[in-house]
Amino acid sequence: VRSYSITTESVLTLHFWGGDCSTYSAVAKESDKQIVVFVTDTPTNLAGGCDAMAKASDVIVKLSAPIGSRQVIDGVSGTVLGIADAAK
């Protein structure tokens, strides 16, 4: 995950590099101080013919409580994520 957008106080849109041959889902593990997000992929074209180029992708994750002042962290890298620049 490279960044996130706040869709509503309890819904985040996660921005990451993905591909054409998978569908994506996300989960959030929440505590009082942080939200750790994980994006998983499910291959959809196992027979081949996929474009190997990465593309900008998005997936929505629902929170059990408003984001508030909690940090959002990539569950794979441990990186604290920033809010996406709306101009991009």
Side-chain angles (χ1 to χ4, degrees):
V1 180
R2 50 190 179 89
S3 63
Y4 69 96
S5 300
I6 300 172
T7 306
T8 70
E9 282 297 310
S10 296
V11 177
L12 303 180
T13 300
L14 306 178
H15 308 290
F16 61 98
W17 295 109
D20 289 332
C21 294
S22 293
T23 58
Y24 299 92
S25 61
V27 296
K29 305 230 180 210
E30 301 178 57
S31 72
D32 292 341
K33 299 206 183 279
Q34 63 186 21
I35 301 164
V36 181
V37 295
F38 297 87
V39 173
T40 57
D41 71 313
T42 302
T44 55
N45 185 353
L46 301 177
C50 292
D51 184 358
M53 295 289 295
K55 67 175 189 170
S57 301
D58 302 314
V59 67
I60 291 173
V61 64
K62 294 181 181 178
L63 306 177
S64 61
I67 185 171
S69 61
R70 297 183 289 173
Q71 289 186 320
V72 179
I73 299 171
D74 181 340
V76 174
S77 69
T79 303
V80 175
L81 300 174
I83 297 175
D85 181 354
K88 289 184 180 177

